[in-house]
Amino acid sequence: PTLYYAKYKDKQVTAYDSFVNLTYKQSSAEMEAKGFELSGAYSPIDEIELFAAASYNDMKFTKNMSTTGGATISVIGKQAPDAPKKMLKAGAAFKYREFYAMPSIKYMSERYGDAENTQRIAPYAVADMSIGYAKKNKSGTFKEITASLDLQNILSRKYISLIQASDDTTAGTSMQYVQGAPFAAIATLALKF
């Protein structure tokens, strides 16, 4: 387990300087983050392993900021942009001789695309599955043969995977929301000499 507390002073943001009539990066934001991370695995028998990882991140502004136009942004106590409070990943790994299967689920809580927390991004959960075959060969041309099939976002959930915004981004300024990948299947064959 990991517990943490961090204080950010003079965090770099993009801001407007009216003295020189330019927008440039300057160190002016103040934030604090506190939370924890915990991960673990348990194997009830040799062929099965259960695993989980969880995190909680309370990352908030502790001082108001100025926009690129010079106005004050009221952000004290607001969560930082693109900083989910809760994340979870859990799954299991099953093995039988040379075969394996690993289902898993990932969850991310709500996030915000802007510093004022007006652009709410909904939470999401994605289910994945990896199945495969691995065989070591002591004699012959190859030392090991592996084949796998990775199924990502099995239920083809629609979600926002990435938010591209600065810490001082507000609802009226430029930000980009990147849609998460739909269902994908990736097959791999690997031969080790």
Side-chain angles (χ1 to χ4, degrees):
T2 302
L3 296 171
Y4 63 86
Y5 175 80
K7 199 164 181 121
Y8 299 90
K9 186 173 174 148
D10 299 328
K11 188 170 180 354
Q12 190 178 65
V13 294
T14 303
Y16 175 74
D17 186 337
S18 59
F19 184 72
V20 293
N21 196 27
L22 292 173
T23 299
Y24 58 90
K25 293 204 177 286
Q26 53 182 282
S27 301
S28 61
E30 292 186 16
M31 304 173 105
E32 70 177 11
K34 54 190 171 192
F36 73 87
E37 295 176 356
L38 177 66
S39 63
Y42 172 67
S43 187
I45 59 174
D46 288 342
E47 293 82 12
I48 298 175
E49 180 179 77
L50 308 173
F51 60 88
S55 70
Y56 176 81
N57 178 30
D58 187 20
M59 186 174 189
K60 295 187 175 173
F61 290 95
T62 57
K63 179 182 174 186
N64 286 332
M65 295 188 311
S66 297
T67 65
T68 54
T72 298
I73 308 174
S74 297
V75 294
I76 292 176
K78 305 278 175 87
Q79 186 78 359
D82 199 17
K85 279 194 175 184
K86 300 173 211 162
M87 292 190 295
L88 173 69
K89 181 174 182 176
F94 303 96
K95 296 177 190 171
Y96 178 73
R97 296 186 183 179
E98 291 88 12
F99 296 93
Y100 68 88
M102 190 167 53
S104 65
I105 188 164
K106 294 179 280 192
Y107 168 79
M108 184 177 289
S109 68
E110 71 180 7
R111 299 167 288 161
Y112 296 95
D114 66 311
E116 295 170 302
N117 291 179
T118 60
Q119 304 261 328
R120 180 184 175 272
I121 307 303
Y124 70 88
V126 176
D128 299 328
M129 169 72 91
S130 182
I131 54 176
Y133 171 86
K135 175 142 178 113
K136 292 188 187 279
N137 189 9
K138 293 182 181 175
S139 63
T141 308
F142 306 112
K143 291 182 181 177
E144 186 177 35
I145 299 172
T146 59
S148 66
L149 177 63
D150 292 317
L151 306 174
Q152 300 172 352
N153 194 3
I154 294 170
L155 302 174
S156 203
R157 297 279 186 206
K158 292 183 179 180
Y159 65 98
I160 300 297
S161 64
L162 180 66
I163 302 170
Q164 295 179 340
S166 300
D167 286 330
D168 66 340
T169 298
T170 56
T173 59
S174 175
M175 64 185 75
Q176 296 177 359
Y177 296 102
V178 180
Q179 181 177 338
F183 170 73
I186 302 163
T188 305
L189 176 64
L191 307 170
K192 290 185 182 176
F193 295 92

